[in-house]
Amino acid sequence: MKRTTLVLTAVVGMFAPVMAGCGAADSGSDGGSAIVVGTTDQFGATKTAPAPFDPAYTYDTAAWNILRQTIQTLTHVPRGGGEPVPEAASRCLFTDHASTTYRCTLRTGLKFANGDPVTANDVKYSIQRVVTIHDPNSAYGLLTNIGSIDTEGHDVVFHLKSSDATFPYKLATPAAGIVNPKQYAPRKLRDGFEIDGSGPYTFKAKVKNNTLVGATFTKNPTYKGDLKVQNDKVEMRNYTSASAMGAAFDKNDVDVMLRMSPDQIKSLTDHTPKDVNLTEMPGLEIRYLGFDTAAPVVKEKAVRQAMAYVVDRDALVSKVYGTTATPLYSLIPSGITGHTNSFFNQYGGQPSVQKAADALQKAGIHTPVKLTLDYTTDHYGAATAKEFQVLQSQFNDSKLFDVTIKGIPWDTFRPDQTKGDYTIYGMGWFPDFPDPDNFTAPFLDKDNFLNSPYDNPLIRNQLIPDSRRVANRGAASGTFGEIQDQVASDVPILPLWQGKQYVAAHTDVTGVEWAVDASTNYYLWELAKGTSDD
């Protein structure tokens, strides 16, 4: 078999695999050597970012992908997507019609990898710890709607402050991961790279100069849950460049490649080696510019609107990402319930320097407007630098802006961004769960991910709460349409593009179609080594 291309079809925010090109492969394991996975994800432990793998600190897809293998959650999103199902729990459900009381019953015999039993009190402790530590870099905002937690034997009962039909999804995120109180202090982060949990794998880090260069995931013999582990061991190797990872893959030192560069994907697409399968799927990754709307230079929304008129998404995608991305005209991407092209409707599909100039002139703003665009040099891939060079050219060529760009390492960039040190900054978003709420509330609600000063009372006090009362997410589409229109009008965030997902694997590796989803979540337990036939 030379190649397998997999397409994931979106239906009401859920994704299901469809095979094209080759028949489905048999799964299996050689029961011997580890499956080696290469990635360009980078992890460092520094004074400003001391605890990259503590659920009370990290809110980053790459780090969450490490935690998903090791830290168990009450629920999880099943293969192919859909509503969450029990994982560490044997049963979970809302016990009222208002979606304000949620009860989970733990599986019997749950143990942490060190042999300690997992109790309902451990679940309560773990979730309260995230909220108590309240680190600005963390995902505590996902959990602040919890009013109180009761424990009754093996049961954990969550009493929510307001209705939230998305709460089962939030319990499936590593922010709600179950940790051992003996290893995770109640008010202090666990610095460094150690991880201990009750998930499908144990974790051992390989560290050099306070940077993770590799890790070993070993099947946890005490694991009890809903996941079926297809291998005994996975080794992850972290490469500083896609080219170094590609060289290792070509030498068969790596079995699976994740987080490839656009050039690498194009090369594999055009010339796929006979012993390689390239997996392609629609993705929910988005990129955008964020604004500190309290900063004097962009406080007037006419400046932000003018930038929305000038940006050329088609040219940006074509020059930097090619066929691996598509232009994005809303916070909610294509493939998610409620998606609308609000920015296209308001600013058009093609840039208009004249309309941008009119908006600035009407607001009495003198041009060129001096701006700095900050971006991270080492978190979203090498193409980010080129992306910001293209954006700089687009804005400066309009003669309405005088833009400087500045690249900063992620371990400095992210803490400084949450402190409000940047006026305009480039960020990416990989959703916590495939629901329109997760493309709106994390940016617009109180305790938002960006620590943004933007506060739209209609969105926060009416539209977001209204959307969460609706159990049928499709019925909330109108509300999400209003949210997107408000964002397009005020431009606290400027959406740029939506990415696709690609994984390359040698043909003796099976389960790849299940090992990565459209949200870029990794499920290493799905991988196995075996043989497959057309």
Side-chain angles (χ1 to χ4, degrees):
M1 180 172 67
K2 293 185 178 181
R3 181 174 178 175
T4 300
T5 300
L6 295 138
V7 179
L8 296 187
T9 305
V11 182
V12 198
M14 296 184 291
F15 292 78
V18 177
M19 301 293 292
C22 295
D26 296 330
S27 65
S29 174
D30 63 2
S33 61
I35 297 170
V36 181
V37 173
T39 179
T40 54
D41 290 333
Q42 299 294 301
F43 306 100
T46 66
K47 287 185 178 180
T48 55
F53 297 142
D54 190 325
Y57 176 79
T58 189
Y59 194 3
D60 165 67
T61 296
W64 274 18
N65 276 331
I66 301 293
L67 293 178
R68 288 182 196 279
Q69 322 307 315
T70 52
I71 303 289
Q72 207 169 10
T73 50
L74 289 172
T75 64
H76 78 110
V77 176
R79 262 187 176 193
E83 296 183 0
V85 297
E87 212 292 79
S90 61
R91 187 178 76 151
C92 287
L93 74 164
F94 280 109
T95 60
D96 64 338
H97 294 296
S99 299
T100 58
T101 303
Y102 195 71
R103 177 182 289 265
C104 288
T105 302
L106 286 180
R107 294 177 186 269
T108 58
L110 283 180
K111 293 181 180 180
F112 291 107
N114 69 352
D116 290 345
V118 177
T119 69
N121 284 328
D122 293 332
V123 176
K124 178 179 179 178
Y125 173 91
S126 302
I127 291 174
Q128 287 184 332
R129 177 177 177 269
V130 174
V131 177
T132 298
I133 291 177
H134 205 82
D135 192 283
N137 189 70
S138 76
Y140 71 87
L142 291 175
L143 307 174
T144 52
N145 190 36
I146 300 173
S148 62
I149 305 174
D150 293 332
T151 60
E152 305 167 4
H154 286 85
D155 285 5
V156 186
V157 184
F158 300 91
H159 303 282
L160 308 184
K161 299 173 186 176
S162 60
S163 300
D164 186 2
T166 71
F167 187 66
Y169 284 104
K170 294 173 181 176
L171 287 182
T173 69
I178 306 166
V179 299
N180 192 331
K182 294 179 181 179
Q183 296 163 322
Y184 292 81
R187 297 180 180 274
K188 184 180 182 300
L189 294 172
R190 187 178 186 181
D191 294 352
F193 297 96
E194 288 186 300
I195 310 173
D196 293 279
S198 56
Y201 293 103
T202 61
F203 175 83
K204 184 177 181 180
K206 183 178 180 181
V207 180
K208 185 177 181 180
N209 297 325
N210 293 320
T211 300
L212 188 77
V213 296
T216 301
F217 298 90
T218 303
K219 187 176 180 179
N220 177 10
T222 69
Y223 170 72
K224 286 190 176 183
D226 192 52
L227 308 175
K228 304 297 185 289
V229 184
Q230 302 294 330
N231 58 69
D232 293 326
K233 185 181 292 186
V234 175
E235 289 184 11
M236 179 172 284
R237 297 178 186 173
N238 300 78
Y239 294 90
T240 56
S241 69
S243 59
M245 177 175 66
F249 184 75
D250 291 342
K251 293 189 298 181
N252 288 316
D253 291 339
V254 167
D255 298 308
V256 180
M257 282 199 298
L258 307 170
R259 297 295 296 273
M260 294 176 286
S261 70
D263 290 342
Q264 203 168 36
I265 293 166
K266 185 178 187 304
S267 176
L268 283 171
T269 301
D270 293 343
H271 306 286
T272 309
K274 64 180 181 180
D275 65 337
V276 172
N277 290 331
L278 184 65
T279 301
E280 175 188 322
M281 63 193 78
L284 298 178
E285 169 191 4
I286 69 170
R287 298 288 176 86
Y288 59 91
L289 293 178
F291 296 89
D292 178 357
T293 54
V297 71
V298 295
K299 187 174 183 179
E300 177 61 61
K301 72 177 180 180
V303 175
R304 309 192 300 268
Q305 290 174 331
M307 294 179 72
Y309 276 121
V310 168
V311 71
D312 188 341
R313 294 172 178 82
D314 287 324
L316 176 66
V317 168
S318 176
K319 291 179 180 180
V320 183
Y321 295 102
T323 59
T324 67
T326 56
L328 179 64
Y329 294 91
S330 175
L331 268 180
I332 301 176
S334 174
I336 290 291
T337 300
H339 163 77
T340 62
N341 289 314
S342 296
F343 276 80
F344 185 97
N345 297 338
Q346 181 149 337
Y347 302 98
Q350 297 298 318
S352 174
V353 174
Q354 185 58 57
K355 290 181 179 178
D358 291 345
L360 293 170
Q361 183 178 25
K362 185 177 180 180
I365 295 170
H366 298 290
T367 58
V369 181
K370 284 196 168 187
L371 301 170
T372 298
L373 273 59
D374 293 284
Y375 67 93
T376 176
T377 56
D378 57 350
H379 194 65
Y380 299 118
T384 307
K386 184 177 179 181
E387 175 180 351
F388 274 78
Q389 291 166 6
V390 172
L391 287 170
Q392 180 186 34
S393 295
Q394 289 184 3
F395 291 127
N396 287 347
D397 288 349
S398 73
K399 309 301 182 185
L400 300 175
F401 300 98
D402 179 4
V403 169
T404 300
I405 58 175
K406 184 178 179 182
I408 303 120
W410 178 255
D411 58 8
T412 299
F413 177 88
R414 174 59 177 151
D416 287 351
Q417 181 272 312
T418 59
K419 290 188 292 186
D421 288 356
Y422 307 137
T423 299
I424 309 173
Y425 48 89
M427 290 284 282
W429 181 251
F430 302 83
D432 309 322
F433 49 88
D435 186 275
D437 179 87
N438 198 239
F439 288 94
T440 50
F443 307 101
L444 307 171
D445 207 356
K446 184 181 178 183
D447 297 324
N448 62 76
F449 160 72
L450 297 175
N451 199 25
S452 170
Y454 175 72
D455 182 0
N456 183 313
L458 176 62
I459 292 176
R460 284 193 184 180
N461 302 332
Q462 180 179 328
L463 297 178
I464 289 177
D466 284 353
S467 72
R468 288 175 172 170
R469 294 188 187 101
V470 183
N472 178 353
R473 306 308 287 156
S477 294
T479 302
F480 284 111
E482 290 186 62
I483 293 174
Q484 291 167 92
D485 289 345
Q486 288 282 314
V487 171
S489 177
D490 292 346
V491 201
I493 292 169
L494 181 56
L496 297 173
W497 56 266
Q498 174 178 352
K500 300 177 185 178
Q501 300 299 327
Y502 294 85
V503 182
H506 290 293
T507 51
D508 63 340
V509 178
T510 60
V512 176
E513 67 271 28
W514 302 113
V516 181
D517 68 15
S519 300
T520 323
N521 297 322
Y522 303 159
Y523 310 111
L524 300 182
W525 57 83
E526 296 283 4
L527 296 173
K529 277 193 174 182
T531 58
S532 59
D533 300 314
D534 286 347

